PDB file of all heavy atoms in Angstrom:
ATOM      1  N   PRO X   1      -6.737   1.730  -2.419  1.00 78.00           N
ATOM      2  CA  PRO X   1      -5.482   2.281  -2.938  1.00 78.00           C
ATOM      3  C   PRO X   1      -5.297   3.736  -2.493  1.00 78.00           C
ATOM      4  O   PRO X   1      -6.245   4.505  -2.450  1.00 78.00           O
ATOM      5  CB  PRO X   1      -5.630   2.172  -4.453  1.00 78.00           C
ATOM      6  CG  PRO X   1      -7.075   1.962  -4.709  1.00 78.00           C
ATOM      7  CD  PRO X   1      -7.682   1.412  -3.472  1.00 78.00           C
ATOM      8  N   SER X   2      -4.081   4.059  -2.133  1.00 78.00           N
ATOM      9  CA  SER X   2      -3.740   5.434  -1.757  1.00 78.00           C
ATOM     10  C   SER X   2      -2.480   5.840  -2.511  1.00 78.00           C
ATOM     11  O   SER X   2      -1.383   5.761  -2.010  1.00 78.00           O
ATOM     12  CB  SER X   2      -3.532   5.541  -0.249  1.00 78.00           C
ATOM     13  OG  SER X   2      -2.512   4.672   0.159  1.00 78.00           O
ATOM     14  N   GLY X   3      -2.655   6.228  -3.762  1.00 76.00           N
ATOM     15  CA  GLY X   3      -1.507   6.589  -4.591  1.00 76.00           C
ATOM     16  C   GLY X   3      -0.993   5.385  -5.372  1.00 76.00           C
ATOM     17  O   GLY X   3      -1.648   4.359  -5.485  1.00 76.00           O
ATOM     18  N   ARG X   4       0.212   5.540  -5.895  1.00 81.00           N
ATOM     19  CA  ARG X   4       0.821   4.465  -6.676  1.00 81.00           C
ATOM     20  C   ARG X   4       1.212   3.289  -5.794  1.00 81.00           C
ATOM     21  O   ARG X   4       1.671   3.466  -4.677  1.00 81.00           O
ATOM     22  CB  ARG X   4       2.068   4.967  -7.403  1.00 81.00           C
ATOM     23  CG  ARG X   4       1.782   5.672  -8.703  1.00 81.00           C
ATOM     24  CD  ARG X   4       3.083   6.060  -9.405  1.00 81.00           C
ATOM     25  NE  ARG X   4       3.884   4.925  -9.805  1.00 81.00           N
ATOM     26  CZ  ARG X   4       3.870   4.381 -11.016  1.00 81.00           C
ATOM     27  NH1 ARG X   4       3.073   4.856 -11.928  1.00 81.00           N
ATOM     28  NH2 ARG X   4       4.650   3.370 -11.313  1.00 81.00           N
ATOM     29  N   VAL X   5       1.062   2.110  -6.336  1.00 85.00           N
ATOM     30  CA  VAL X   5       1.464   0.895  -5.640  1.00 85.00           C
ATOM     31  C   VAL X   5       2.953   0.650  -5.846  1.00 85.00           C
ATOM     32  O   VAL X   5       3.673   0.264  -4.946  1.00 85.00           O
ATOM     33  CB  VAL X   5       0.632  -0.308  -6.152  1.00 85.00           C
ATOM     34  CG1 VAL X   5       1.156  -1.606  -5.602  1.00 85.00           C
ATOM     35  CG2 VAL X   5      -0.820  -0.127  -5.802  1.00 85.00           C
ATOM     36  N   VAL X   6       3.441   0.939  -7.060  1.00 87.00           N
ATOM     37  CA  VAL X   6       4.824   0.661  -7.440  1.00 87.00           C
ATOM     38  C   VAL X   6       5.620   1.959  -7.412  1.00 87.00           C
ATOM     39  O   VAL X   6       5.189   2.979  -7.937  1.00 87.00           O
ATOM     40  CB  VAL X   6       4.875   0.039  -8.857  1.00 87.00           C
ATOM     41  CG1 VAL X   6       6.301  -0.189  -9.286  1.00 87.00           C
ATOM     42  CG2 VAL X   6       4.088  -1.246  -8.897  1.00 87.00           C
ATOM     43  N   SER X   7       6.795   1.917  -6.796  1.00 86.00           N
ATOM     44  CA  SER X   7       7.705   3.065  -6.839  1.00 86.00           C
ATOM     45  C   SER X   7       8.990   2.614  -7.528  1.00 86.00           C
ATOM     46  O   SER X   7       9.585   1.616  -7.147  1.00 86.00           O
ATOM     47  CB  SER X   7       7.988   3.579  -5.427  1.00 86.00           C
ATOM     48  OG  SER X   7       8.524   2.569  -4.629  1.00 86.00           O
ATOM     49  N   CYS X   8       9.360   3.345  -8.567  1.00 81.00           N
ATOM     50  CA  CYS X   8      10.505   2.909  -9.367  1.00 81.00           C
ATOM     51  C   CYS X   8      11.399   4.052  -9.810  1.00 81.00           C
ATOM     52  O   CYS X   8      12.105   3.935 -10.810  1.00 81.00           O
ATOM     53  CB  CYS X   8      10.019   2.117 -10.582  1.00 81.00           C
ATOM     54  SG  CYS X   8       8.809   2.969 -11.586  1.00 81.00           S
ATOM     55  N   GLY X   9      11.390   5.157  -9.125  1.00 74.00           N
ATOM     56  CA  GLY X   9      12.241   6.267  -9.526  1.00 74.00           C
ATOM     57  C   GLY X   9      11.759   6.865 -10.833  1.00 74.00           C
ATOM     58  O   GLY X   9      10.608   7.270 -10.946  1.00 74.00           O
ATOM     59  N   PRO X  10      12.597   6.875 -11.892  1.00 72.00           N
ATOM     60  CA  PRO X  10      12.151   7.456 -13.160  1.00 72.00           C
ATOM     61  C   PRO X  10      11.161   6.576 -13.926  1.00 72.00           C
ATOM     62  O   PRO X  10      10.503   7.040 -14.837  1.00 72.00           O
ATOM     63  CB  PRO X  10      13.451   7.612 -13.953  1.00 72.00           C
ATOM     64  CG  PRO X  10      14.371   6.596 -13.377  1.00 72.00           C
ATOM     65  CD  PRO X  10      14.002   6.489 -11.925  1.00 72.00           C
ATOM     66  N   CYS X  11      11.024   5.315 -13.581  1.00 70.00           N
ATOM     67  CA  CYS X  11      10.107   4.371 -14.243  1.00 70.00           C
ATOM     68  C   CYS X  11      10.320   4.340 -15.750  1.00 70.00           C
ATOM     69  O   CYS X  11       9.392   4.510 -16.534  1.00 70.00           O
ATOM     70  CB  CYS X  11       8.647   4.691 -13.914  1.00 70.00           C
ATOM     71  SG  CYS X  11       8.211   4.376 -12.207  1.00 70.00           S
ATOM     72  N   ASP X  12      11.578   4.159 -16.171  1.00 74.00           N
ATOM     73  CA  ASP X  12      11.868   4.077 -17.604  1.00 74.00           C
ATOM     74  C   ASP X  12      11.437   2.745 -18.201  1.00 74.00           C
ATOM     75  O   ASP X  12      11.398   2.586 -19.406  1.00 74.00           O
ATOM     76  CB  ASP X  12      13.350   4.318 -17.865  1.00 74.00           C
ATOM     77  CG  ASP X  12      14.241   3.307 -17.160  1.00 74.00           C
ATOM     78  OD1 ASP X  12      13.724   2.486 -16.371  1.00 74.00           O
ATOM     79  OD2 ASP X  12      15.454   3.342 -17.394  1.00 74.00           O
ATOM     80  N   PHE X  13      11.131   1.780 -17.357  1.00 75.00           N
ATOM     81  CA  PHE X  13      10.624   0.472 -17.759  1.00 75.00           C
ATOM     82  C   PHE X  13      11.590  -0.276 -18.671  1.00 75.00           C
ATOM     83  O   PHE X  13      11.195  -1.030 -19.548  1.00 75.00           O
ATOM     84  CB  PHE X  13       9.233   0.588 -18.400  1.00 75.00           C
ATOM     85  CG  PHE X  13       8.346  -0.566 -18.043  1.00 75.00           C
ATOM     86  CD1 PHE X  13       7.712  -0.603 -16.822  1.00 75.00           C
ATOM     87  CD2 PHE X  13       8.165  -1.624 -18.906  1.00 75.00           C
ATOM     88  CE1 PHE X  13       6.899  -1.664 -16.474  1.00 75.00           C
ATOM     89  CE2 PHE X  13       7.356  -2.690 -18.568  1.00 75.00           C
ATOM     90  CZ  PHE X  13       6.720  -2.714 -17.350  1.00 75.00           C
ATOM     91  N   ALA X  14      12.867  -0.066 -18.488  1.00 77.00           N
ATOM     92  CA  ALA X  14      13.889  -0.791 -19.245  1.00 77.00           C
ATOM     93  C   ALA X  14      14.093  -2.152 -18.588  1.00 77.00           C
ATOM     94  O   ALA X  14      13.976  -2.284 -17.370  1.00 77.00           O
ATOM     95  CB  ALA X  14      15.189  -0.011 -19.252  1.00 77.00           C
ATOM     96  N   PRO X  15      14.386  -3.182 -19.385  1.00 79.00           N
ATOM     97  CA  PRO X  15      14.625  -4.509 -18.810  1.00 79.00           C
ATOM     98  C   PRO X  15      15.746  -4.487 -17.779  1.00 79.00           C
ATOM     99  O   PRO X  15      16.791  -3.892 -18.000  1.00 79.00           O
ATOM    100  CB  PRO X  15      15.009  -5.363 -20.016  1.00 79.00           C
ATOM    101  CG  PRO X  15      14.373  -4.676 -21.174  1.00 79.00           C
ATOM    102  CD  PRO X  15      14.434  -3.206 -20.852  1.00 79.00           C
ATOM    103  N   GLY X  16      15.498  -5.091 -16.659  1.00 80.00           N
ATOM    104  CA  GLY X  16      16.485  -5.158 -15.586  1.00 80.00           C
ATOM    105  C   GLY X  16      16.421  -4.005 -14.602  1.00 80.00           C
ATOM    106  O   GLY X  16      17.103  -4.035 -13.584  1.00 80.00           O
ATOM    107  N   SER X  17      15.615  -2.966 -14.873  1.00 84.00           N
ATOM    108  CA  SER X  17      15.571  -1.835 -13.946  1.00 84.00           C
ATOM    109  C   SER X  17      14.787  -2.217 -12.686  1.00 84.00           C
ATOM    110  O   SER X  17      13.771  -2.895 -12.749  1.00 84.00           O
ATOM    111  CB  SER X  17      14.951  -0.612 -14.618  1.00 84.00           C
ATOM    112  OG  SER X  17      13.644  -0.893 -15.047  1.00 84.00           O
ATOM    113  N   PRO X  18      15.273  -1.776 -11.537  1.00 87.00           N
ATOM    114  CA  PRO X  18      14.640  -2.182 -10.274  1.00 87.00           C
ATOM    115  C   PRO X  18      13.413  -1.330  -9.941  1.00 87.00           C
ATOM    116  O   PRO X  18      13.296  -0.181 -10.363  1.00 87.00           O
ATOM    117  CB  PRO X  18      15.745  -1.950  -9.244  1.00 87.00           C
ATOM    118  CG  PRO X  18      16.555  -0.844  -9.823  1.00 87.00           C
ATOM    119  CD  PRO X  18      16.505  -1.019 -11.314  1.00 87.00           C
ATOM    120  N   PHE X  19      12.518  -1.910  -9.169  1.00 90.00           N
ATOM    121  CA  PHE X  19      11.373  -1.188  -8.628  1.00 90.00           C
ATOM    122  C   PHE X  19      10.954  -1.866  -7.332  1.00 90.00           C
ATOM    123  O   PHE X  19      11.365  -2.995  -7.047  1.00 90.00           O
ATOM    124  CB  PHE X  19      10.209  -1.143  -9.627  1.00 90.00           C
ATOM    125  CG  PHE X  19       9.604  -2.478  -9.922  1.00 90.00           C
ATOM    126  CD1 PHE X  19       8.522  -2.944  -9.192  1.00 90.00           C
ATOM    127  CD2 PHE X  19      10.120  -3.280 -10.923  1.00 90.00           C
ATOM    128  CE1 PHE X  19       7.968  -4.176  -9.455  1.00 90.00           C
ATOM    129  CE2 PHE X  19       9.571  -4.513 -11.200  1.00 90.00           C
ATOM    130  CZ  PHE X  19       8.489  -4.964 -10.461  1.00 90.00           C
ATOM    131  N   THR X  20      10.182  -1.165  -6.535  1.00 92.00           N
ATOM    132  CA  THR X  20       9.714  -1.711  -5.275  1.00 92.00           C
ATOM    133  C   THR X  20       8.203  -1.544  -5.158  1.00 92.00           C
ATOM    134  O   THR X  20       7.617  -0.653  -5.760  1.00 92.00           O
ATOM    135  CB  THR X  20      10.370  -1.014  -4.064  1.00 92.00           C
ATOM    136  OG1 THR X  20      10.064   0.374  -4.117  1.00 92.00           O
ATOM    137  CG2 THR X  20      11.863  -1.213  -4.051  1.00 92.00           C
ATOM    138  N   VAL X  21       7.610  -2.416  -4.375  1.00 92.00           N
ATOM    139  CA  VAL X  21       6.183  -2.354  -4.060  1.00 92.00           C
ATOM    140  C   VAL X  21       6.071  -2.223  -2.549  1.00 92.00           C
ATOM    141  O   VAL X  21       6.601  -3.060  -1.822  1.00 92.00           O
ATOM    142  CB  VAL X  21       5.436  -3.610  -4.548  1.00 92.00           C
ATOM    143  CG1 VAL X  21       3.976  -3.544  -4.156  1.00 92.00           C
ATOM    144  CG2 VAL X  21       5.590  -3.787  -6.042  1.00 92.00           C
ATOM    145  N   ASP X  22       5.426  -1.158  -2.094  1.00 91.00           N
ATOM    146  CA  ASP X  22       5.195  -0.935  -0.668  1.00 91.00           C
ATOM    147  C   ASP X  22       3.704  -0.825  -0.427  1.00 91.00           C
ATOM    148  O   ASP X  22       3.045   0.034  -1.001  1.00 91.00           O
ATOM    149  CB  ASP X  22       5.891   0.343  -0.196  1.00 91.00           C
ATOM    150  CG  ASP X  22       7.400   0.208  -0.189  1.00 91.00           C
ATOM    151  OD1 ASP X  22       7.884  -0.782   0.368  1.00 91.00           O
ATOM    152  OD2 ASP X  22       8.076   1.093  -0.742  1.00 91.00           O
ATOM    153  N   LEU X  23       3.181  -1.682   0.417  1.00 92.00           N
ATOM    154  CA  LEU X  23       1.756  -1.669   0.753  1.00 92.00           C
ATOM    155  C   LEU X  23       1.583  -1.482   2.250  1.00 92.00           C
ATOM    156  O   LEU X  23       2.371  -2.011   3.036  1.00 92.00           O
ATOM    157  CB  LEU X  23       1.096  -2.984   0.331  1.00 92.00           C
ATOM    158  CG  LEU X  23       1.144  -3.335  -1.138  1.00 92.00           C
ATOM    159  CD1 LEU X  23       0.552  -4.711  -1.365  1.00 92.00           C
ATOM    160  CD2 LEU X  23       0.401  -2.301  -1.948  1.00 92.00           C
ATOM    161  N   HIS X  24       0.567  -0.740   2.617  1.00 89.00           N
ATOM    162  CA  HIS X  24       0.237  -0.513   4.020  1.00 89.00           C
ATOM    163  C   HIS X  24      -1.261  -0.689   4.192  1.00 89.00           C
ATOM    164  O   HIS X  24      -2.039  -0.228   3.360  1.00 89.00           O
ATOM    165  CB  HIS X  24       0.639   0.889   4.459  1.00 89.00           C
ATOM    166  CG  HIS X  24       2.062   1.224   4.174  1.00 89.00           C
ATOM    167  ND1 HIS X  24       3.110   0.741   4.935  1.00 89.00           N
ATOM    168  CD2 HIS X  24       2.626   1.962   3.203  1.00 89.00           C
ATOM    169  CE1 HIS X  24       4.238   1.189   4.439  1.00 89.00           C
ATOM    170  NE2 HIS X  24       3.982   1.933   3.377  1.00 89.00           N
ATOM    171  N   THR X  25      -1.658  -1.322   5.261  1.00 88.00           N
ATOM    172  CA  THR X  25      -3.070  -1.461   5.586  1.00 88.00           C
ATOM    173  C   THR X  25      -3.236  -1.353   7.099  1.00 88.00           C
ATOM    174  O   THR X  25      -2.294  -1.607   7.850  1.00 88.00           O
ATOM    175  CB  THR X  25      -3.652  -2.788   5.055  1.00 88.00           C
ATOM    176  OG1 THR X  25      -5.052  -2.788   5.240  1.00 88.00           O
ATOM    177  CG2 THR X  25      -3.031  -3.977   5.722  1.00 88.00           C
ATOM    178  N   LEU X  26      -4.413  -0.969   7.499  1.00 85.00           N
ATOM    179  CA  LEU X  26      -4.715  -0.811   8.916  1.00 85.00           C
ATOM    180  C   LEU X  26      -5.697  -1.890   9.332  1.00 85.00           C
ATOM    181  O   LEU X  26      -6.769  -2.020   8.747  1.00 85.00           O
ATOM    182  CB  LEU X  26      -5.309   0.574   9.186  1.00 85.00           C
ATOM    183  CG  LEU X  26      -5.581   0.918  10.633  1.00 85.00           C
ATOM    184  CD1 LEU X  26      -4.266   1.079  11.383  1.00 85.00           C
ATOM    185  CD2 LEU X  26      -6.383   2.189  10.723  1.00 85.00           C
ATOM    186  N   VAL X  27      -5.323  -2.670  10.317  1.00 86.00           N
ATOM    187  CA  VAL X  27      -6.169  -3.747  10.826  1.00 86.00           C
ATOM    188  C   VAL X  27      -6.903  -3.223  12.055  1.00 86.00           C
ATOM    189  O   VAL X  27      -6.264  -2.850  13.049  1.00 86.00           O
ATOM    190  CB  VAL X  27      -5.333  -4.983  11.209  1.00 86.00           C
ATOM    191  CG1 VAL X  27      -6.216  -6.092  11.717  1.00 86.00           C
ATOM    192  CG2 VAL X  27      -4.499  -5.440  10.046  1.00 86.00           C
ATOM    193  N   THR X  28      -8.212  -3.166  11.975  1.00 84.00           N
ATOM    194  CA  THR X  28      -8.982  -2.757  13.142  1.00 84.00           C
ATOM    195  C   THR X  28      -9.158  -3.959  14.059  1.00 84.00           C
ATOM    196  O   THR X  28      -9.291  -5.092  13.602  1.00 84.00           O
ATOM    197  CB  THR X  28     -10.353  -2.194  12.745  1.00 84.00           C
ATOM    198  OG1 THR X  28     -11.059  -3.178  11.994  1.00 84.00           O
ATOM    199  CG2 THR X  28     -10.206  -0.935  11.926  1.00 84.00           C
ATOM    200  N   LEU X  29      -9.143  -3.700  15.333  1.00 84.00           N
ATOM    201  CA  LEU X  29      -9.287  -4.777  16.305  1.00 84.00           C
ATOM    202  C   LEU X  29     -10.717  -5.307  16.293  1.00 84.00           C
ATOM    203  O   LEU X  29     -11.659  -4.577  15.975  1.00 84.00           O
ATOM    204  CB  LEU X  29      -8.914  -4.266  17.689  1.00 84.00           C
ATOM    205  CG  LEU X  29      -7.453  -3.851  17.829  1.00 84.00           C
ATOM    206  CD1 LEU X  29      -7.199  -3.260  19.202  1.00 84.00           C
ATOM    207  CD2 LEU X  29      -6.529  -5.027  17.595  1.00 84.00           C
ATOM    208  N   PRO X  30     -10.904  -6.574  16.633  1.00 83.00           N
ATOM    209  CA  PRO X  30     -12.246  -7.162  16.607  1.00 83.00           C
ATOM    210  C   PRO X  30     -13.206  -6.446  17.569  1.00 83.00           C
ATOM    211  O   PRO X  30     -12.803  -6.019  18.647  1.00 83.00           O
ATOM    212  CB  PRO X  30     -12.024  -8.606  17.050  1.00 83.00           C
ATOM    213  CG  PRO X  30     -10.583  -8.864  16.860  1.00 83.00           C
ATOM    214  CD  PRO X  30      -9.894  -7.557  16.980  1.00 83.00           C
ATOM    215  N   PHE X  31     -14.449  -6.344  17.147  1.00 83.00           N
ATOM    216  CA  PHE X  31     -15.543  -5.775  17.923  1.00 83.00           C
ATOM    217  C   PHE X  31     -15.382  -4.290  18.221  1.00 83.00           C
ATOM    218  O   PHE X  31     -16.035  -3.764  19.116  1.00 83.00           O
ATOM    219  CB  PHE X  31     -15.762  -6.548  19.235  1.00 83.00           C
ATOM    220  CG  PHE X  31     -15.898  -8.011  19.048  1.00 83.00           C
ATOM    221  CD1 PHE X  31     -15.005  -8.891  19.624  1.00 83.00           C
ATOM    222  CD2 PHE X  31     -16.913  -8.524  18.258  1.00 83.00           C
ATOM    223  CE1 PHE X  31     -15.118 -10.251  19.441  1.00 83.00           C
ATOM    224  CE2 PHE X  31     -17.032  -9.900  18.072  1.00 83.00           C
ATOM    225  CZ  PHE X  31     -16.139 -10.752  18.665  1.00 83.00           C
ATOM    226  N   VAL X  32     -14.498  -3.602  17.483  1.00 81.00           N
ATOM    227  CA  VAL X  32     -14.365  -2.156  17.625  1.00 81.00           C
ATOM    228  C   VAL X  32     -15.254  -1.519  16.561  1.00 81.00           C
ATOM    229  O   VAL X  32     -15.144  -1.845  15.385  1.00 81.00           O
ATOM    230  CB  VAL X  32     -12.897  -1.708  17.435  1.00 81.00           C
ATOM    231  CG1 VAL X  32     -12.775  -0.204  17.416  1.00 81.00           C
ATOM    232  CG2 VAL X  32     -12.030  -2.302  18.526  1.00 81.00           C
ATOM    233  N   PRO X  33     -16.159  -0.618  16.946  1.00 77.00           N
ATOM    234  CA  PRO X  33     -17.053  -0.013  15.957  1.00 77.00           C
ATOM    235  C   PRO X  33     -16.297   0.838  14.943  1.00 77.00           C
ATOM    236  O   PRO X  33     -15.239   1.397  15.251  1.00 77.00           O
ATOM    237  CB  PRO X  33     -18.006   0.849  16.789  1.00 77.00           C
ATOM    238  CG  PRO X  33     -17.507   0.824  18.174  1.00 77.00           C
ATOM    239  CD  PRO X  33     -16.426  -0.179  18.296  1.00 77.00           C
ATOM    240  N   HIS X  34     -16.854   0.914  13.734  1.00 73.00           N
ATOM    241  CA  HIS X  34     -16.183   1.643  12.649  1.00 73.00           C
ATOM    242  C   HIS X  34     -16.089   3.135  12.933  1.00 73.00           C
ATOM    243  O   HIS X  34     -15.181   3.797  12.454  1.00 73.00           O
ATOM    244  CB  HIS X  34     -16.913   1.412  11.326  1.00 73.00           C
ATOM    245  CG  HIS X  34     -16.751   0.015  10.814  1.00 73.00           C
ATOM    246  ND1 HIS X  34     -15.546  -0.469  10.370  1.00 73.00           N
ATOM    247  CD2 HIS X  34     -17.623  -1.007  10.699  1.00 73.00           C
ATOM    248  CE1 HIS X  34     -15.677  -1.725   9.993  1.00 73.00           C
ATOM    249  NE2 HIS X  34     -16.940  -2.082  10.196  1.00 73.00           N
ATOM    250  N   TRP X  35     -17.009   3.689  13.706  1.00 74.00           N
ATOM    251  CA  TRP X  35     -16.945   5.121  13.963  1.00 74.00           C
ATOM    252  C   TRP X  35     -15.756   5.479  14.844  1.00 74.00           C
ATOM    253  O   TRP X  35     -15.334   6.623  14.883  1.00 74.00           O
ATOM    254  CB  TRP X  35     -18.257   5.632  14.573  1.00 74.00           C
ATOM    255  CG  TRP X  35     -18.654   4.968  15.861  1.00 74.00           C
ATOM    256  CD1 TRP X  35     -19.456   3.880  16.006  1.00 74.00           C
ATOM    257  CD2 TRP X  35     -18.260   5.352  17.177  1.00 74.00           C
ATOM    258  NE1 TRP X  35     -19.591   3.552  17.335  1.00 74.00           N
ATOM    259  CE2 TRP X  35     -18.868   4.448  18.079  1.00 74.00           C
ATOM    260  CE3 TRP X  35     -17.462   6.358  17.687  1.00 74.00           C
ATOM    261  CZ2 TRP X  35     -18.701   4.529  19.435  1.00 74.00           C
ATOM    262  CZ3 TRP X  35     -17.293   6.437  19.060  1.00 74.00           C
ATOM    263  CH2 TRP X  35     -17.912   5.536  19.921  1.00 74.00           C
ATOM    264  N   MET X  36     -15.177   4.504  15.539  1.00 72.00           N
ATOM    265  CA  MET X  36     -13.984   4.776  16.343  1.00 72.00           C
ATOM    266  C   MET X  36     -12.724   4.824  15.483  1.00 72.00           C
ATOM    267  O   MET X  36     -11.687   5.298  15.930  1.00 72.00           O
ATOM    268  CB  MET X  36     -13.825   3.722  17.433  1.00 72.00           C
ATOM    269  CG  MET X  36     -14.805   3.884  18.561  1.00 72.00           C
ATOM    270  SD  MET X  36     -14.504   2.729  19.897  1.00 72.00           S
ATOM    271  CE  MET X  36     -12.996   3.371  20.587  1.00 72.00           C
TER     272      MET X  36
END
């Protein structure tokens, strides 16, 4: 995790209020050493 998973503006958590989930990950190529 790098910060909040959910972004919802004021996050008032009222029924019907919109929110978004943005996730990012880095895929290392096969057989590439971790130090690279």
Side-chain angles (χ1 to χ4, degrees):
S2 59
R4 277 184 64 96
V5 172
V6 177
S7 57
C8 54
C11 291
D12 60 354
F13 217 79
S17 60
F19 66 92
T20 59
V21 178
D22 290 310
L23 300 175
H24 307 284
T25 188
L26 184 69
V27 181
T28 57
L29 296 176
F31 309 119
V32 173
H34 290 292
W35 58 268
M36 286 185 71

